[in-house]
Amino acid sequence: MLKKQKNFTLGVLTFLCGVFFLQLMGIVIKFIGSSYPSIQLSLYRNIFGPIPILLFFYFSKNTHKYDLIKRIPKLWVSILRGFFMAFAQFCFFTSLIFLKFATATSLTLLTPFIVAIFSIPILGTKIDFWKWIAIIIGFSGAIVIISPSNEIFSKYALLPLGASFGYGMNLVLVRLFPKDIPTIIIQWHSQISSIFFSLLFLLLTFQYVEILNFQDLILVFIMGFLGGTGVYLMMASYRMTNHINLGPFHYFSIIFSFALGWLFFQEAPFDELLPGIFFIVFAGMIIYWREKKSSNN
């Protein structure tokens, strides 16, 4: 029992660190996003993102028997995850540039609902009545936030929804891998795939700006490092404790985004997010309740 509690505590702390690192990555993107195309920043994020993965791989005792170059089962899933990750990054990075930080971040909280919906055809998951109610409430909250009557409504307000779709598909597809494959191996192959797709998107859009100065180069490196570390920590936390236990802690990102948005950009978009954000959080808690109940049966 004590070990289980310890794993839960470590899992939650690891998860929150991952969320915070990703929030810091968003801050860097918002700082330099006006100088570089979003798809170019996505490429840089994916180029520097594998660095923390390599460090974790080198210092981990459980991964030395694996070869990062060796082909893994269901490699096509890694390739597909890379595509959805590059797509989600483009949507989210662009939204950070044109929306307030907390608004763009909060709208990506629809990801769990995307996971629930696409788990039906891909994983064969059954969704009960209460989860459908939660999905409807969650998307209703998003509509309230980005509705035409709201002052933030624009094509950019729809981008976090695209990001939620990409991130959600990424989380659904990761469940197709055999459980004996370490998280770090899965993330490595998906990361390499996302480099390819973000480069392809950049070439197709003909958008490229040379890095203007050494300071921007450092910021680009920090962005990629924070992003790679944050994603790995969040994935690792799901191996430490049941993913259901982490459900309520997703909403700490709202606290982080408001605090960081106010600290760095003097933003406090309460009028934009209320009351829609309450719908999203309430719906998320319904899904958490149903998942918790199912796991106890």
Side-chain angles (χ1 to χ4, degrees), residues 98-99 146-148 150-160:
F98 292 99
L99 300 177
I146 65 175
S147 64
N150 194 316
E151 63 178 9
I152 74 160
F153 179 77
S154 68
K155 60 182 179 180
Y156 300 114
L158 300 175
L159 288 171

Side-chain angles (χ1 to χ4, degrees), residues 100 102-103 106 144-145 150-152 254-255 257-259 262 266-278:
K100 291 180 180 178
T103 302
S106 296
V144 170
I145 294 174
N150 194 316
E151 63 178 9
I152 74 160
I254 300 175
I255 300 173
S257 63
F258 264 94
W262 178 82
Q266 290 73 55
E267 297 175 350
F270 292 102
D271 55 332
E272 295 180 359
L273 291 174
L274 299 177
I277 193 63
F278 289 128

